[in-house]
Amino acid sequence: GQNIDQPTEMTATEGAIVQINCTYQTSGFNGLFWYQQHAGEAPTFLSYNVLDGLEEKGRFSSFLSRSKGYSYLLLKELQMKDSASYLCAAMDSNYQLIWGAGTKLIIKP
Amino acid sequence: DTAVSQTPKYLVTQMGNDKSIKCEQNLGHDTMYWYKQDSKKFLKIMFSYNNKELIINETVPNRFSPKSPDKAHLNLHINSLELGDSAVYFCASSLTLYDSFNVLTFGAGSRLTVL
């Protein structure tokens, strides 16, 4: 079956760096997405990887290893506003998104 | 200018009632979706429409009926509401369906509570 695994919750300190891991199993692969969802709000797009390697976008970076079925989202210089859930989603060969349950990130001062 | 707008934001109703949620997007996208997010925060696809045509209809009870009068609108009607229908329902849109770089723009969500 198709599956996404990511940690349920993580805690980090303001100003620090945190890495949120995601492993996926899909029928075929057309890319890996990360979305951010603040409590009570809609998910918003953060990043997309389809080739192996690191994509950097300001304080956020996302990495993909297709051979390992693995991605991570790296958040640097954490700010209190980064407290949110981070959703990993993989696209299968039918262009359907398979979603993880999300990782709730708690930032402490 | 809200890109994807859905109404109402909150719905509280009794079991057995019928309710509708409306969604509109002004992004010129071809594809629209309905997702359900339960208390465990899983986002589950319910329906997707591409240019008013139903493409995906996951294993959703037939009490749920989507309607797309045009490609900018996708409404969701729910008959005979049950306690398990309580969730947040998100409408979303994307430029197209059959593209790997398919970024979804979500509406703010409609929180349905069935008593």
Side-chain angles (χ1 to χ4, degrees):
Chain A
Q2 308 199 97
N3 192 51
I4 301 276
D5 281 316
Q6 53 180 129
T8 304
E9 189 173 295
M10 297 181 71
T11 302
T13 306
E14 194 177 11
I17 298 173
V18 72
Q19 177 175 310
I20 303 174
N21 295 326
C22 168
T23 57
Y24 63 89
Q25 287 178 308
T26 53
S27 304
F29 179 74
N30 270 312
L32 192 293
F33 295 78
W34 285 95
Y35 282 77
Q36 180 190 58
Q37 185 177 24
H38 285 102
E41 296 184 12
T44 55
F45 170 73
L46 279 180
S47 70
Y48 170 73
N49 295 69
V50 67
L51 300 176
D52 290 352
L54 190 69
E55 292 280 343
E56 295 186 74
K57 208 190 273 188
R59 294 189 299 114
F60 292 6
S61 304
S62 55
F63 172 84
L64 176 68
S65 168
R66 289 172 296 170
S67 61
K68 295 181 179 175
Y70 167 70
S71 173
Y72 67 72
L73 182 68
L74 191 73
L75 292 76
K76 300 177 188 174
E77 300 167 19
L78 285 168
Q79 302 175 8
M80 297 303 291
K81 68 178 182 180
D82 298 330
S83 292
S85 287
Y86 292 86
L87 308 174
C88 174
M91 181 174 281
D92 67 13
S93 56
N94 292 322
Y95 299 99
Q96 288 203 42
L97 279 174
I98 313 302
W99 293 84
T103 299
K104 184 177 179 181
L105 178 64
I106 299 167
I107 310 295
K108 296 189 172 176
Chain B
D1 286 347
T2 306
V4 180
S5 58
Q6 53 182 110
T7 56
K9 192 165 172 62
Y10 299 98
L11 263 174
V12 181
T13 189
Q14 300 287 333
M15 263 178 24
N17 283 350
D18 303 339
K19 288 294 175 188
S20 292
I21 308 172
K22 294 185 176 182
C23 180
E24 175 182 2
Q25 55 97 1
N26 63 4
L27 296 166
H29 287 170
D30 283 348
T31 309
M32 295 185 74
Y33 311 80
W34 277 112
Y35 276 89
K36 179 181 180 181
Q37 189 172 45
D38 60 23
S39 57
K40 293 182 181 176
K41 303 303 180 187
F42 266 109
L43 265 174
K44 187 177 175 186
I45 182 78
M46 300 175 71
F47 303 101
S48 76
Y49 271 73
N50 194 52
N51 270 318
K52 302 194 310 176
E53 181 188 349
L54 179 64
I55 301 298
I56 296 173
N57 182 359
E58 291 296 314
T59 50
V60 175
N62 58 15
R63 298 182 294 104
F64 290 79
S65 51
K67 278 196 175 59
S68 182
D70 55 60
K71 74 173 193 176
H73 295 84
L74 180 61
N75 304 323
L76 183 65
H77 188 74
I78 316 169
N79 289 326
S80 305
L81 279 157
E82 299 177 358
L83 291 177
D85 297 333
S86 295
V88 180
Y89 292 84
F90 284 102
C91 177
S93 72
S94 66
L95 195 58
T96 184
L97 185 60
Y98 302 112
D99 185 5
S100 54
F101 184 52
N102 191 22
V103 174
L104 301 183
T105 302
F106 286 86
S110 296
R111 181 176 292 278
L112 171 64
T113 303
V114 182
L115 304 173

